[in-house]
Amino acid sequence: MPDGRAARMLTGAGVSPGAGAGPVVRVAGSVPEPPAATHGGTAEDARGEKAAATRALEAVAADLEACGERAAAAGNADARDVLGAQALMARDPGLADGVAAQIDGGTAAARAVYEAFAVYRAVLASAGEYLAARVADLDDIRDRAVARLLGVPMPGVPQRDEPFVLVARDLAPADTAVLDPALVVAFVTEEGGPTSHTAILARTMGVPAVVACPECADLAEGTRVLVDGTAGTVHVDPAETEVSAALRRSAARASLLAESTGPGATRDGHAVPLLANVGGPQDLDAALAAGAEGVGLYRTEFLFLDRAHAPSDAEQEAAYRAVLEAFPQGKVVVRTLDAGADKPLAFLPPPGEEPNPALGERGLRMLRRHPEVLSAQLTALRRASAGLTTRLEVMAPMVTDVEEARYFAAACAEAGIDHPGIMIEVPAAALRAGDLAPEVEFFSVGTNDLTQYACAADRQIGGLARLQDAWQPAVLDLVALTAEAAVDTERGCGVCGEAAGDPVLACVLVGLGVTSLSMSAPSLPLVRASLARHTLAQCRRAAVAARSARTADEARTAARAELPALPELGL
Ligand code: PEP
Ligand code: MG
C-alpha cells in the first residue's frame, strides 16, 4: 500500500478457506424496464430503430454462443446446449417481426423489444408447464437485448479473460454454471450465510470466499482486493508484499494437508469414512484428488439448475453412472432432486406464490406432487448402477415424518433401489428419528437445513449468520438424538451438511455418534488430519463439553479444550 493511504478492511463470514487477490468484477443487478418511448416517427427513424434492435438481438445471440463455447471448453457441454438454444430464441424470425411491427407503430427500439417479448412470454407462460419453464430463458434474452439498447450493464456474471474476484449481492447456483474456476480467484457476496449455496459452491470449486459482507456493495469495478476466505476479510488496495505473504501462507497450509492421506479414522483407529459432496461428474476429479472414500451427497439438482426442461432418462443415467463408476470399491449416496426454495428448478415450479419458500414445497414435498419425476429419477439410478460394484444408496431431502419416509421407501422399492435413506434436515424428523428409522436403512443429517429450521434463520440471509451456526447447542442436541436413534436401530448416521467439513466440529460429530462425514472435497484433508490426531474418547469428551455449553461460542471453546492437537494444524 502506498504511504499515507489508510488500509481498508471489510469483514464478513469466511466460508471457503485460502487467499485470492485480483481486480473486482461485479455481477450487474436487474435491467430496468425501458420507458414507453416513441421514436421520431419518420420512415428513416423506424429503419434506424429496426437496425438497432436487430443488431442488439444478433449481438446477444453471438454472446450466448461464445459463452456456451467457453463453458464447453471448461468441461460443461450442457451449458453450451442451453445457451445455444437461447441464441436460437434471440434469432427467432417471429420475434423479429414482432419487434418490427412495434417500431412501425412508433415505439422506440428498446421498448419495442420489451413489448415483442411480452407477447411471446404470455404465450409461453400459458402453454403448459414445459413451455412455461422457458419464460426465464426468454426474460434473460430480453434483458440482455434491452441492456444493449439502453447502454446499461449486462445482467448476470460477466465473462473475463483475466483472473478476477467476483463480487455480487448474492449468486444464484445457475449464475455460476459458466464460471471458470481458473479465472475466479475469490467470491465476495453481500448476502448469503455460511451454509448458503454460494458458500457451498465456492468450497466445491476450491475458491476462497467471504459471504455476508454488506460493505462489499461499495467496491468499485476494477478495485484490487485481497480476499482471505479463512479469516473472512477483504483487504482493499493491499500492498503487493501483503498479497504475496497471504498467498504463501495459503500454499504452505495446502502442502501440510497434502500429507494427510488414507481412509478417515481417529488416532486410535475408529473408522470414520470420509466422503465427498458432489454436484455432478465435474466434481469427481477434486473428490478423488482429495482422497474421498466415496460420495456421501450427490446433489442431483445441481445437474439441472440451468435447465428449462426435465432431463431425459438417458441423460440422467449417464450423469449418475459417471459418478458411480468413480468409486468401484466405495459407496455413492445420491439425493433425489431437492428442488424449491433456494434451488428452484424451472421444470418443477412451486404450485403457487410462496411467501416463505424455505417452508414451502421443496425436496420430497415437491417430488410427491410430481411422482413421475421421482420414479424417472429412481429408475435412471437403478439402471445406472446395473453391473457396477459401487454400493448405491439413495436418499430423500426434506423428510418430516414417518408417512413421508414410508412413501419414499416404497417408491425406492418399486423402482428396484435397494438401500433407501432419508436426510434429517427438519427438527421434527430429528426429534422423532427413532420412529423414522425402521422405515429406511440410513440417515444423513443435513446440518445446513437442520440449523436453518432449528434456529428459524433463513440460510440465504447474511445478517443471520450468527444463528446459522451448527455449533448452536440446540443443533448439537438434534444431531445427538438422531445418532442415538440410529445406534438403537442399527442404522448408519452420516452428516453431509457443511458442519462435517469443519475440522473441529467433525471431531464433535464423531463423538456424538455420527458414523461418516461428507463434505466439499477441499475440506477433506483438514478433517482427515484433525480426526487422525484425536482419539475417539477425546472426540466423545469434546461432544459432551460442547453439548453442556449454553451458546455456540461456548460450545466451540469447550470442545477445543478437549482436542489438544488442533494447534498443530494451525486451528
Ligand atoms: C443440508 O441441508 O445440510 C444439505 C446437505 O443439503 P443442501 O445444503 O443441499 O440443502
Ligand atoms: Mg438441505
Side-chain angles (χ1 to χ4, degrees):
M1 179 181 34
D3 285 348
R5 188 138 45 100
R8 200 172 154 224
M9 188 75 91
L10 318 182
T11 53
V15 293
S16 182
V24 166
V25 166
R26 301 199 62 96
V27 176
S30 53
V31 175
E33 181 179 326
T38 49
H39 58 73
T42 67
E44 196 173 330
D45 290 329
R47 261 198 308 280
E49 294 295 299
K50 282 182 200 168
T54 307
R55 269 198 310 277
L57 285 166
E58 177 49 37
V60 167
D63 276 356
L64 289 166
E65 279 170 345
C67 184
E69 289 309 323
R70 276 195 297 269
N76 188 348
D78 285 352
R80 178 176 51 196
D81 297 346
V82 176
L83 295 166
Q86 268 190 297
L88 280 181
M89 285 190 200
R91 292 198 179 106
D92 187 293
L95 185 69
D97 291 348
V99 174
Q102 289 284 337
I103 294 176
D104 285 337
T107 308
R111 186 70 194 188
V113 166
Y114 188 82
E115 298 289 348
F117 271 83
V119 174
Y120 259 51
R121 201 177 187 282
V123 173
L124 278 188
S126 60
E129 199 177 300
Y130 171 79
L131 287 174
R134 306 207 74 114
V135 164
D137 292 9
L138 204 60
D139 287 349
D140 181 47
I141 303 165
R142 175 199 64 197
D143 289 348
R144 286 167 182 275
V146 167
R148 281 192 168 270
L149 287 162
L150 295 180
V152 300
M154 276 298 153
V157 177
Q159 294 296 325
R160 289 288 189 282
D161 298 326
E162 297 294 324
F164 61 93
V165 172
L166 190 65
V167 178
R169 200 175 68 76
D170 203 355
L171 289 168
D175 282 342
T176 57
V178 293
L179 283 180
D180 179 353
L183 291 179
V184 189
V185 295
F187 288 146
V188 184
T189 62
E190 289 170 52
E191 289 289 338
T195 57
S196 65
H197 284 93
T198 301
I200 294 171
L201 273 157
R203 279 192 285 270
T204 305
M205 290 169 74
V207 171
V210 174
V211 302
C213 177
E215 288 174 290
C216 78
D218 305 331
L219 284 176
E221 183 91 9
T223 310
R224 195 167 158 71
V225 292
L226 166 63
V227 179
D228 184 333
T230 312
T233 56
V234 180
H235 197 151
V236 184
D237 280 335
E240 275 318 306
T241 47
E242 284 170 288
V243 172
S244 43
L247 297 181
R248 252 199 323 276
R249 274 197 307 276
S250 177
R253 185 175 161 120
S255 73
L256 172 79
L257 295 178
E259 290 158 18
S260 119
T261 53
T266 58
R267 201 176 84 206
D268 52 336
H270 171 73
V272 183
L274 297 180
L275 311 164
N277 291 353
V278 303
Q282 72 280 4
D283 296 332
L284 288 172
D285 286 350
L288 290 165
E293 294 165 60
V295 167
L297 169 61
Y298 182 174
R299 288 186 166 97
T300 54
E301 64 281 356
F302 278 19
L303 291 169
F304 311 120
L305 280 172
D306 52 353
R307 302 279 293 270
H309 52 87
S312 73
D313 295 348
E315 194 183 349
Q316 291 201 51
E317 198 180 317
Y320 303 148
R321 198 170 172 92
V323 174
L324 288 161
E325 279 175 342
F327 294 97
Q329 321 298 337
K331 71 170 175 181
V332 169
V333 185
V334 180
R335 177 173 76 187
T336 53
L337 293 171
D338 186 17
D342 53 340
K343 290 172 289 188
L345 288 182
F347 59 89
L348 283 178
E353 184 75 5
E354 290 192 334
N356 297 302
L359 300 181
E361 303 255 2
R362 61 167 291 202
L364 185 62
R365 300 171 185 183
M366 180 73 94
L367 289 172
R368 290 188 75 177
R369 270 193 180 270
H370 301 275
E372 71 294 348
V373 175
L374 175 60
S375 88
Q377 188 173 25
L378 294 174
T379 305
L381 280 164
R382 194 212 346 104
R383 289 218 187 97
S385 68
L388 300 183
T389 50
T390 317
R391 180 183 164 95
L392 168 67
E393 299 185 353
V394 182
M395 64 184 181
M398 277 293 283
V399 172
T400 303
D401 62 6
V402 168
E403 204 259 329
E404 290 183 352
R406 193 172 291 157
Y407 173 90
F408 184 69
C412 284
E414 199 173 317
I417 298 287
D418 288 337
H419 305 297
I422 52 171
M423 291 192 69
I424 302 289
E425 310 187 273
V426 178
L431 288 165
R432 300 307 295 250
D435 293 340
L436 273 65
E439 306 296 332
V440 288
E441 283 196 11
F442 68 94
F443 294 148
S444 181
V445 185
T447 46
N448 308 335
D449 278 316
L450 188 59
T451 307
Q452 153 165 269
Y453 296 125
C455 299
D458 190 327
R459 57 198 274 196
Q460 295 295 100
I461 298 179
L464 299 177
R466 186 185 74 75
L467 293 170
Q468 292 147 351
D469 187 347
W471 281 99
Q472 286 282 348
V475 178
L476 298 178
D477 282 352
L478 291 170
V479 178
L481 279 177
T482 309
E484 280 160 18
V487 170
D488 291 347
T489 50
E490 297 182 352
R491 301 295 193 258
C493 178
V495 169
C496 65
E498 295 304 299
D502 171 336
V504 186
L505 190 44
C507 294
V508 169
L509 294 172
V510 169
L512 290 176
V514 162
T515 52
S516 65
L517 298 168
S518 190
M519 64 206 76
S520 311
S523 302
L524 282 162
L526 195 50
V527 168
R528 185 184 294 114
S530 177
L531 281 180
R533 281 167 172 75
H534 296 103
T535 61
L536 180 57
Q538 285 174 321
C539 292
R540 286 191 174 138
R541 283 200 292 275
V544 169
R547 277 188 80 190
S548 308
R550 291 180 313 152
T551 69
D553 283 342
E554 281 173 25
R556 253 187 215 96
T557 310
R560 295 181 69 92
E562 301 293 342
L563 299 168
L566 295 174
E568 287 170 33
L569 296 165
L571 293 169

